[in-house]
Amino acid sequence: MDLVVRAPRAVVGGAEIACTVGVRDGRIVSVGPLGPATGTPAAAVRLDLTADEVLLPGLVDTHVHVNEPGRTEWEGFASATTAAAAGGVTTILDMPLNSIPPTTTLAALRTKQEAAAGQVRVDVGFWGGAVPGNGADLPELHAAGVFGFKCFLIDSGVEEFPHLEPDRFAAAMEVTADLGALMIVHAEDADLVDESLLSGRRYAGFLASRPSTSEDSAIARVIEQAARTGGRAHVVHLSSAGALPALRSARATGVDVSVETCPHYLALTAEQVPDGATALKCCPPIRDAANRDALWSGLAAGDIDMVVSDHSPCTADLKARGDGDFSLAWGGIASLQLGLPVTWTAARERGVPLARVVTWMATHPADRVGLTHKGRIEVGADADLVVFAPDREWDVDPARLHHKNPVSAYAGRHLTGAVRHTLLRGRDVTTDRPPEGRLLRRGHR
């Protein structure tokens, strides 16, 4: 063996057990009982977890905005993947915006891959973008190995990535259905968003301007087109629990639609957002406590498939633009390094076991995008492993995070659970060793 890990506690197959994990050539080759130390297989390196640590599979975050090239001052591959490793995330999928150029053509994909090469500490795959007029580009991007296509049903916030009106969305769904590709959708209905309700620093005005009905309506459109075309669809960053009955009903009839939510929707509530606190601005917005509780119920029932970050950073000046004016500040929450402890802190308060959190943050996202050798501790999987201290308490200091800009919705928040080591293919990537991450293609290991 190259590495043997002895873990009195490990999340394996959706449950917590004691085990010994053997690694050779970057893959898990054995998962066996935790016997006496004297009986441990010989290995070049042996890692013994302490009683306060749990071995987890590396998390798979399928919703990350890296922004390089073009807006690298917001975030870049070096900073994003360093933050990911520190947060127990061993695989990320990069969104097709807010980089310049956006990943809407094969040439743009190559530009982004060239920018990432040699910088990444964890494995990185790429989404393509579906925008008006690029239908002919989608087959080329699909053949080049993007993991699917992202589109907006409302203004994306950046002019180089325009949204799809209903007829264009229907046409794009026909293309992705023919390709067998996954279409991931920012689902808000512009006709139900009322920016006249914005009222400067008041969070209540921002929340009222983007009601839950705007999400519910747009998600109904996604379901309709997935059913009509037989295509595969995925709803990103669900904040409205009101859409869950429609999603549940559609899936019961065989519509191939999945849905994610994010740590900020599970941990934060509108009642907790002070006026002027634009660090907590995101679209769709953080809603009230009853809605948050309903999202947790949706996770428990299996109506929500996964929890991913929607890491959407920007520079500090853009987040503070307008001195706390919600109509002017950039919307997005940077949380790549914090997703696991934020979600675990909220989960344990509700009596949710760590193994369920791992399923939502590692196994399910990996499976939905075809990375079935990721997000699990089993023979044949990549040896992407995390040593996690679930009872370790700490306070968030944005200046100590690896995100490029020290802006956090969780500044000063008391969390439970800390990542001590992250291993990518059996090698510790939370050290100063040169980056060893790989650029991933759909369908290729």
Side-chain angles (χ1 to χ4, degrees), residues 160-209:
E160 68 274 2
F161 200 95
H163 70 286
L164 297 177
E165 296 289 352
D167 58 337
R168 289 184 179 270
F169 175 59
M173 277 294 298
E174 291 174 0
V175 175
T176 57
D178 287 343
L179 294 171
L182 185 63
M183 177 72 91
I184 65 173
V185 187
H186 180 125
E188 289 182 279
D189 188 336
D191 290 340
L192 297 175
V193 169
D194 185 355
E195 293 189 353
S196 72
L197 298 174
L198 289 169
S199 50
R201 294 171 53 85
R202 292 186 62 248
Y203 185 72
F206 172 66
L207 181 60
S209 74

Side-chain angles (χ1 to χ4, degrees), residues 282-293:
C282 56
C283 298
I286 294 163
R287 304 194 189 278
D288 60 38
N291 181 83
R292 178 195 59 181
D293 293 345

Side-chain angles (χ1 to χ4, degrees), residues 49-127:
L49 271 62
T50 58
D52 68 331
E53 296 173 336
V54 184
L55 186 68
L56 311 180
L59 305 189
V60 177
D61 192 336
T62 55
H63 195 150
V64 177
H65 295 266
V66 175
N67 307 329
E68 184 176 3
R71 292 190 175 95
T72 311
E73 69 275 14
W74 294 18
E75 194 75 278
F77 286 104
S79 55
T81 58
T82 300
V89 178
T90 51
T91 303
I92 67 171
L93 294 193
D94 173 58
M95 285 288 161
L97 74 163
N98 301 305
S99 57
I100 302 173
T103 318
T104 54
T105 66
L106 181 58
L109 173 64
R110 298 300 185 219
T111 297
K112 183 166 283 194
Q113 290 170 328
E114 290 168 6
Q119 292 202 73
V120 297
R121 293 193 174 275
V122 302
D123 288 352
V124 177
F126 301 91
W127 294 106

Side-chain angles (χ1 to χ4, degrees), residues 6 24 28 30 99 119 121-122 126-127 149 169 177 214 221 229 244-245 255 290 302 354 356 358 367 389-390 401 422:
R6 290 174 44 82
R24 184 184 298 118
I28 296 171
S30 65
S99 57
Q119 292 202 73
R121 293 193 174 275
V122 302
F126 301 91
W127 294 106
F149 298 94
F169 175 59
S214 70
R221 189 184 310 163
T229 62
L244 291 175
V255 178
L354 182 57
R356 292 296 303 277
V358 169
D367 287 352
L401 300 176
T422 299

Side-chain angles (χ1 to χ4, degrees), residues 335-390:
S335 60
L336 182 55
Q337 186 172 338
L338 297 173
L340 176 57
V342 166
T343 305
W344 168 235
T345 299
R348 68 182 288 160
E349 291 172 354
R350 294 169 178 270
V352 177
L354 182 57
R356 292 296 303 277
V357 174
V358 169
T359 298
W360 296 329
M361 302 190 77
T363 314
H364 282 179
D367 287 352
R368 185 55 169 160
V369 299
L371 291 171
T372 53
H373 59 293
K374 300 282 192 181
R376 68 207 70 222
I377 298 175
E378 65 180 37
V379 173
D382 283 359
D384 299 346
L385 304 168
V386 175
V387 178
F388 185 63

